[in-house]
Amino acid sequence: MLYFFNFYFGAIVGSFIYVCILRLPKGEDIVFKKSYCERCGKEIKWLYNIPLFSFLWLKGKSHCCHEKIKPDYLIVELITGLLFFINFILFNNYHTIIIFDLLYVILLLIIIIDYKNRIIFDVFSYSLIFTGLVVNYFFSSINPFNITILDALITMIISSGLFGLLKFIYKKMKKVDGLGGGDIILIAGLSAWTGFKFFLYLLILSSISGIIYYYLLNKNRDENFEIPFGSSLGLSFIILLYSSILF
């Protein structure tokens, strides 16, 4: 029963995550504004807004205008539910489970918003910096990367400084930004968790996923195509974190 509870609680959180994904880039309220149909704009009644079940019950079509509902809703709910379920299996106390559930909420917001809109909200990256430093200082034993607070601080400075320098050099040479400021803050946030050794692995994985993004999304082979590097970093971090736990 607890396994199902954690999975479905994750699906509920995933529903809220998707609301944030839709509304934050448009500057809309994510707390008080009621859910509305993306197609016709009508308010969605609670009965047709139950995570997972409503989508399946309505057979993927909106009740108000009978237009198809994007499967993104269901996918985000399922992924979040699955991540919460895995965390419940892997970690042996509720404090650790809550911390990593929160971490994955932040990462999913970064991954999907950057993938869809090429935007990284600084508040999410600063949250990673804050939580990473707090965990490594007070609860270092729960960090699967097993690093010290000093390692975290030094890696943050080196990683953000290095990519800040690369951004500066690229702009001087090409007269355009090759890397967003949000990417640099995100790199600092992730390195606050990984430390130097695993940060190098993160760079390798994110570079590979960035290349995959380029060839999958850039069908016209546009040289100026903007790779969602924040999304690549977040996805690579999740893979690296689970790998460090399991292997």
Side-chain angles (χ1 to χ4, degrees):
M1 189 65 183
L2 283 174
Y3 292 104
F4 176 77
F5 172 80
N6 277 271
F7 171 77
Y8 196 70
F9 179 68
I12 294 171
V13 174
S15 182
F16 177 69
I17 287 174
Y18 198 75
V19 169
C20 295
I21 291 165
L22 288 177
R23 297 186 186 181
L24 285 176
K26 296 187 286 187
E28 293 184 357
D29 179 72
I30 61 171
V31 178
F32 299 107
K33 187 174 181 178
K34 294 183 178 180
S35 297
Y36 61 88
C37 176
E38 278 191 77
R39 301 291 188 180
C40 66
K42 290 184 179 178
E43 183 181 318
I44 300 175
K45 294 180 180 180
W46 70 267
L47 184 63
Y48 307 118
N49 206 24
I50 302 171
L52 299 180
F53 293 111
S54 291
F55 185 93
L56 298 173
W57 179 32
L58 294 169
K59 297 180 180 179
K61 290 187 177 181
S62 173
H63 180 265
C64 51
C65 60
H66 306 293
E67 293 289 337
K68 283 188 176 181
I69 304 171
K70 291 180 180 178
D72 303 22
Y73 283 96
L74 185 66
I75 293 169
V76 172
E77 289 169 359
L78 282 171
I79 289 174
T80 313
L82 184 60
L83 288 173
F84 276 41
F85 176 76
I86 293 172
N87 286 346
F88 182 71
I89 294 173
L90 290 179
F91 301 112
N92 57 14
N93 66 75
Y94 282 101
H95 294 96
T96 308
I97 292 170
I98 291 170
I99 288 171
F100 281 93
D101 284 350
L102 176 61
L103 176 63
Y104 285 143
V105 168
I106 297 169
L107 288 169
L108 285 174
L109 284 165
I110 291 170
I111 291 168
I112 302 172
I113 291 176
D114 187 50
Y115 176 80
K116 285 178 169 289
N117 301 282
R118 306 299 192 272
I119 299 171
I120 302 173
F121 289 96
D122 290 346
V123 64
F124 299 142
S125 299
Y126 286 126
S127 298
L128 291 175
I129 293 174
F130 175 75
T131 54
L133 293 179
V134 168
V135 165
N136 288 315
Y137 187 78
F138 293 104
F139 317 104
S140 60
S141 61
I142 73 171
N143 186 349
F145 297 117
N146 192 28
I147 66 169
T148 64
I149 183 66
L150 183 60
D151 189 358
L153 286 168
I154 292 174
T155 307
M156 278 178 55
I157 294 169
I158 292 174
S159 62
S160 56
L162 173 63
F163 278 86
L165 179 61
L166 289 174
K167 173 183 168 66
F168 175 78
I169 294 172
Y170 189 90
K171 189 167 185 178
K172 280 288 186 182
M173 294 176 62
K174 299 287 187 176
K175 307 302 180 185
V176 293
D177 280 321
L179 192 68
D183 292 314
I184 295 172
I185 301 172
L186 175 58
I187 286 166
L190 295 175
S191 59
W193 280 88
T194 63
F196 190 74
K197 175 185 174 182
F198 287 97
F199 174 69
L200 298 177
Y201 295 144
L202 180 65
L203 282 184
I204 295 170
L205 281 176
S206 60
S207 298
I208 293 171
S209 60
I211 292 170
I212 293 171
Y213 270 141
Y214 179 84
Y215 283 103
L216 287 180
L217 302 179
N218 186 21
K219 295 179 181 179
N220 296 324
R221 297 295 180 263
D222 181 5
E223 292 183 0
N224 297 316
F225 175 78
E226 186 179 352
I227 296 172
F229 190 54
S231 182
S232 301
L233 284 166
L235 184 61
S236 300
F237 179 89
I238 292 176
I239 295 170
L240 191 61
L241 191 143
Y242 278 145
S243 298
S244 67
I245 295 171
L246 297 173
F247 306 109

